[in-house]
Amino acid sequence: MELRYFIIRRILLLIPTLIGLTLLTFILVRALPTSLLLSQYVNPHSTLPRSVQIAHAKALLGLNYPVPVQYFFYLSALFHGEWGFMVSNFYTGPVLTGIEEFFPNTLQLTIFAVILSIIISIPLGTYIGSRPNSVADHAGRIFSLAVYAMPAFVLALVLQIVLGRGAITGNPLGVFPISGTFNYALVPFPVPSWLTSPNTSALVSHPTHLIIFDALIHHNYAIAYSGLLHIVLPVITLTLGILAGIVRFLRAGMMDNMRQEYVKTARAKGVPENVIIKRHIRKNALIPTVTVLGLLFASLLGGVVLIEDVFDYPGMGLLGINAITSYSIYGVMGVTLVFGLVLVFANLIVDVVYAFLDPRIRY
Amino acid sequence: MAEVEAFKIRRKEEKKRSARMEDFLFTLKLIFHNRIAFAGLVITLAYFIIAIIDYADPRWLGVSNLSDALAFLHGKAYYPSATLVTPPTLAHGWYYWLGTTEYGIPILPDMLAALKVDLTLSVEIVLSGALIGLILGTVSAYYGGLIDEAMMRITDIFFSIPALILALAIAFIIGLTFTNIALAFIIVWWPIYARLGRSLTLSIKNMNFIEAANAAGSSSARNIFYHVIPGVLSPLFVQFSLDIGTVVQLFAALEFLGVVPVDPFLPELGRMMVWGETYLIYGKWWAVIIPAIFLMIFTISVSLLGDGLRDVLDPRQRR
C-alpha cells in the first residue's frame, strides 16, 4: 500500500473515534440529573415565573426530544461553535473563546517539551544504549527511574526551589521566574490593546495568544524575553517527565539491534563503529520508540494540567481545573473534548510517521 | 476397586500440585537470583506488611494522626502555625525522626498510617480495573467478530482522552468525593487491561491445546476460564505491579490540584504533600520532600519488581 492510501485509511478510521469521543462527553453531560443542568438556566431574580423559565431552558437544551436525537443537537452545537458558557474566577465567557485564548499556551508548553525531550533523549539514548552495563548506563537508568517515580508536582516544586527566582532568598541559581506567563511589571501604562481580553483577569495577548510571539510582533522585546524566561521551568519539568520513557525505549531498541546480523555484516566490511551506531543501529532502534511517543504524549497532556497549576501558567489545564472547582459543566466538557482531539490527532501523526519510517506496517 | 480409582485420582492431583509448587519455587528462585528484582520484592512486601499490620491493630505502629495531635494540643494555646513544623531530629524518639508537619503531626508514623489508605485504594482500583478488563478483553477476543470490534472501538474512545483528564471529568459528573474519584479511576483503568488481555488471548486462542480442549468437548466458557485466562495472567500481573505505584501518584496529584476534598483526619500521602507544600517557601522542605521520597521508593521498588517479573515469567527466559 502506498503511504497516501495508508493515510487516507487512517483518517477514515478517525471518524468512529471522533464520534465516540463526542458521544462520551455527551453521555457525561446527560448523566447529570436534568434538574442540575436546568438550574444553570434559571434566574432567581427574573420576573418570569420559574416554571416558564424551566420550560424555556428545556426547549433550549432540546430536553423534550429523545436522547439519541439530543446527541445530534449536541453535535450540531459543537460544529456551530456553541460550546456553552462558563463562569469562574479565572475565566468567564463562552467556553470556545476561553479555549481559543488559553489553548495556544498549553500547545506551546507541550511542543517545546516534546522538541526538547527529543533533542536530549536521542543522543542520550544512543550513548547509553551503545554502552550497555557501563557506568553511564546505570546512572541513566537510575536517573530515569527516579524521575519516573517522582510525582510531577513535587519535581516542579523542587525545580522552583532550586532554580526559581525568589523562592529562596539569596539563591545564586535562582534565575527563572516561577509563575505566570511574563512579568506584568513590564506592561506599559495605558495597557496596549493587544494585551487585553474582555473575559479574563489574566493578560491575554493578540493575535496568536502566545506572549513571546505577540511581543515580538509588537516590537516589545523586554516582554518577549520575560515570556521566554517564564516557560523555562515548566518546559523542563514536562521534559523530564517524558524523557525517561523515550531514553528507556531507545536503549532497549539499541540493545536489541546490536545483536542483529546486519550489524555484524557492517562491522565485517569495515564500517567505522560510530557510523554503525548512528546510521545503522539508531535508525532501526528509533522505529519502536516512535510508537511510544503517542502514549507519552498522552501522559504529557495529563502532566501539563499539573504543571500549569504549579507554575500558574494560564492554559487549558488551569481552565479545566477552574471549571471543575466552579462547577461549570460545559467548561469541563469543552476542555476534555479538546484534550481528546489533541491526543487523537497526535496519535494520527505518530501513526503516519511510523508508517513512513517502517513500510512493513502499511501492509 | 473404587478405592483404587480414588487413590489414583488423588495421586494425579498431588502430582499436578507438586508440579505447580515446583514451578512456583522455580519462579521464586529466579527472582532471588535477580538481585534488583529481589530488592524490589522485599521493599514492596515491607510496604504491604506495614499496611497489613496497621489493619490488624493500629496501636502496634504507635500511629499518630490529626486527632491524636489535637488531643495532645488540647488545653494549650494553639495556633496552626509554622512553628509546629519541626525539622527531622533524633532527639525525641522514633516518632520525630523525620520531623513534623502541620499541626505538629509527626511525619514518620503518619506516613506509615498513610500506607494503609493509599495501598488499599490503589490495589482496589487496579484490581477492579484489571478484573473488568481481563474478562471483557478475553471474552471479546475469544468470540471475535462484532463483539470484538465493538470492544476495540470502546477502548479506543477511552484511550483518546488522557487518563487523568478523563478521570477528572467522570469524577466531576458523579460528584467529587474520595470514593467517586476511586470509581472514576476504575472506569478509566479497565481499557488498558482489556487491550492487553485481548492481544494475549488472540495469540493463545489458536493454539493446539485450545483445539484439544474443544475436541474433548469443553465449552467456550470453560475454555476461557480454565485455559485462556491462566495463560493471560502473568503478563497482566506485570502491568498490575507497574500500575499500583502510578495510581497512588495520580491520587496525590489530584489532591494537589485541589479537586479532591482533602480529609485532614485521613492519613494519606497526597494530603501530607499538599500540606507540606505550604511550608516549602519557608525552607521547611521535609514536610513535602520526605513523603514524596517515601512514595518514590515504593513506585521504584514496585516497578523494579514488575521488570523482574516480566523477565522471570517470560517463558523464553525460563528454559
Side-chain angles (χ1 to χ4, degrees), chain A residues 20-21 24 28 32 145 149-150 153-154 157-158 248 298 301-302 306 309-310 321 324 329 336 339-340 343-344, chain B residues 157 159-162 164-166 169 172-173 176 249 253 256-257 259 273 277 280 289 292 296 299-300 303-304 307:
Chain A
L21 191 62
L24 186 65
L28 285 178
L32 278 177
L145 249 182
M150 194 134 179
F153 62 91
V154 176
L157 289 174
V158 170
R248 204 172 158 192
L301 287 181
L306 282 169
D309 191 69
V310 179
I321 295 300
I324 286 174
I329 306 156
T336 310
F339 272 117
L343 190 57
V344 166
Chain B
I157 296 164
F159 277 111
S160 65
I161 302 178
L164 184 74
I165 292 155
L166 184 57
F172 173 76
I173 294 298
L176 285 162
Q249 284 201 7
F256 180 81
L257 286 176
V259 289
M273 285 188 253
E277 188 226 347
L280 203 56
I289 299 296
M296 233 173 99
T299 319
I300 289 180
S303 64
L304 286 178
D307 281 353

